[in-house]
Amino acid sequence: MPNAIAYLALFAWPLVGALLFHKLPTHKAIIWTILGGYLVLPERVGIDLPLLPAFDKTFIPAATALFFCLPRLGSLWELLPQDRVASVLALTFMLSPFGTAFTNGDPQIFGPTYLPGLRPYDAFSFGLSHAVHLVPFLLAQRFIRNEAALRDLLASIAIAGLIYSLPALFEVRMSPQLHTWIYGFFPHSFIQQVRFGGFRPVVFLGHGLLVGLLISMSTLASLALARGHQGPARALWIAASIWLAITLLLSKTVSAWVYAVALFPVLLLFGNRLKRMALLFVGSIVLLYPALRGMDLIPTARIEALAALINEARFQSLQYRFQNEDILLQRANERPFFGWGGWGRNEVHDNITGDVISVTDGAWIAFAGPYGWIGYIAGFGLLVRPLIMIGLGRKASFTTLALAVVLMANLIDLIPNSGLRPITWLVSGSIIGFICLEYRDKALRKPAYAKIRA
């Protein structure tokens, strides 16, 4: 059970946000209000009121940032992306739960288990939850969109990893205990954090996989900053990159190692053309993964064989994930457009006992099952949109390309794991905002240029 400190930290965060917005420029305040809340607030703690989203570490930092940004907006319409595709996807993502609720009025019965049909109440509840998840994206595309702001975001990701490396290394040595010591409980299965004769750090993120992903993204961000600086600053970022790489290795998360090693050459060795090709390829694979999986075009057997080379436990874990993907994908395809909704309706149940016999790991199936392919395309479309835009030739600076590679690591992780967090939305929104701002400024410059030529 959470202790008083957990609730105190959660509900004191708006005061932290107020201080950040008072002391920092708006874009930095948004970054650290949302990113800081993700890093330090307790997992699985909150107050769940009727209709409203749970007041937890996702809602409170996002709502705080939105509250302090409202006076800086002419109207709420400014939060809609200037990119029309992104605007349509954002609106679809927020409204798709209404289609889900209206097509799932029937109850589901599995032996003694009775799951009631959805009501209009559920449509509003799910829609508000989706809107909360979009707040970091919408704020980022509006306020974190120039070159300086993007550099600050890239640096913030690297700094977040450096700060987190200290408690992470402590837990590597002493076992994941900080969440229990400070907030009174452990947020996940402890046995899942035991790896290679030691421990994966959890700190305050809820699972070792998320810590590994954060350190992997921070390592890539730090390498990019080392590439983009000269003199003493470059030396400092090189040292930071080495430190983060060591922390990543000791964190014992194989998937995070793979992301960093695979994307290192993309970040530092590929030219812009190859970078764009890689972004377009990965963005397309992530967006189309459910279709590719359904058509059996993903070489699962080969991937399992590669996992077996690491050790038997990794092979069994991956095989178990693929088996669950198969049955959950089959369940999702029974209601392909708007999905099954929440409350376990998207899960696979035993028809005799009523017990849930499926486990949802990947974020993609966590979207597709409850909200169908419409909800999936809207949500994942927003996330991969920056990669597609850059891949198709939209103007991008080195900082933008570096952030896109960092985002690519996160998006790849959404296939096997549930690594969709506020930092994902922040990076995606900032890149889209930058591209839209660049093209708007280019359009504004055209008449003056034409007049000079005339």
Side-chain angles (χ1 to χ4, degrees), residues 31-372:
I31 293 169
W32 284 109
T33 298
I34 294 174
L35 181 57
Y38 171 60
L39 295 178
V40 305
L41 293 179
E43 282 284 333
R44 301 178 185 273
V45 178
I47 295 179
D48 198 355
L49 299 176
L51 185 64
L52 297 175
F55 283 42
D56 57 14
K57 71 182 293 182
T58 298
F59 176 87
I60 290 179
T64 299
L66 178 60
F67 175 81
F68 287 108
C69 285
L70 287 177
R72 297 163 169 82
L73 294 169
S75 72
L76 287 176
W77 292 109
E78 292 182 21
L79 289 178
L80 277 180
Q82 293 178 350
D83 176 56
R84 291 181 181 178
V85 174
S87 291
V88 170
L89 291 173
L91 291 172
T92 302
F93 183 65
M94 288 186 283
L95 296 176
S96 64
F98 288 88
T100 301
F102 295 149
T103 56
N104 281 276
D106 57 315
Q108 294 291 301
I109 302 172
F110 307 95
T113 300
Y114 178 87
L115 301 176
L118 303 183
R119 306 157 294 169
Y121 169 92
D122 297 304
F124 284 99
S125 179
F126 295 155
L128 286 173
S129 179
H130 280 198
V132 168
H133 282 88
L134 274 188
V135 166
F137 173 90
L138 298 175
L139 292 178
Q141 66 83 32
R142 175 60 181 81
F143 293 102
I144 312 173
R145 58 180 181 171
N146 59 41
E147 179 68 17
L150 263 64
R151 282 199 301 269
D152 288 336
L153 177 57
L154 189 66
S156 297
I157 294 171
I159 292 169
L162 289 169
I163 294 172
Y164 236 56
S165 66
L166 299 179
L169 291 173
F170 173 82
E171 290 197 338
V172 166
R173 179 65 181 86
M174 301 301 293
S175 82
Q177 297 292 341
L178 291 175
H179 200 285
T180 303
W181 291 349
I182 295 175
Y183 294 129
F185 72 104
F186 192 73
H188 209 280
S189 167
F190 190 88
I191 194 64
Q192 289 188 18
Q193 319 314 323
V194 178
R195 287 292 183 274
F196 302 108
F199 302 99
R200 293 194 296 202
V202 173
V203 196
F204 307 122
L205 298 190
H207 200 287
L209 289 170
L210 294 172
V211 175
L213 175 62
L214 172 68
I215 301 299
S216 182
M217 294 170 66
S218 299
T219 303
L220 293 169
S222 183
L223 287 168
L225 289 163
R227 170 77 177 273
H229 283 82
Q230 300 293 332
R234 171 174 282 187
L236 288 174
W237 282 117
I238 290 174
S241 301
I242 295 171
W243 175 263
L244 286 168
I246 294 171
T247 305
L248 179 61
L249 182 64
L250 295 176
S251 70
K252 302 179 179 66
T253 300
V254 176
S255 59
W257 300 345
V258 172
Y259 306 148
V261 171
L263 296 181
F264 169 81
V266 177
L267 181 67
L268 297 183
L269 302 181
F270 283 20
N272 284 353
R273 184 177 179 183
L274 284 177
K275 276 191 179 74
R276 291 177 185 275
M277 291 174 63
L279 292 170
L280 183 60
F281 175 76
V282 170
S284 300
I285 292 295
V286 171
L287 185 61
L288 298 175
Y289 182 81
L292 298 173
R293 192 74 173 82
M295 293 185 290
D296 202 26
L297 294 178
I298 302 296
T300 56
R302 292 184 181 180
I303 297 172
E304 290 173 0
L306 290 174
L309 295 176
I310 300 174
N311 59 40
E312 182 66 20
R314 301 283 65 72
F315 165 72
Q316 292 178 355
S317 174
L318 197 58
Q319 186 180 53
Y320 182 71
R321 287 171 184 265
F322 285 145
Q323 289 171 351
N324 277 276
E325 283 184 2
D326 287 335
I327 60 175
L328 285 166
L329 186 58
Q330 183 178 359
R331 174 72 174 168
N333 283 330
E334 293 176 14
R335 294 199 176 170
F337 296 109
F338 291 105
W340 288 96
W343 318 124
R345 291 169 58 91
N346 62 299
E347 300 285 357
V348 179
H349 295 74
D350 186 283
N351 287 322
I352 304 301
T353 65
D355 295 336
V356 176
I357 58 174
S358 61
V359 176
T360 302
D361 281 317
W364 69 273
I365 196 64
F367 266 69
Y371 303 109

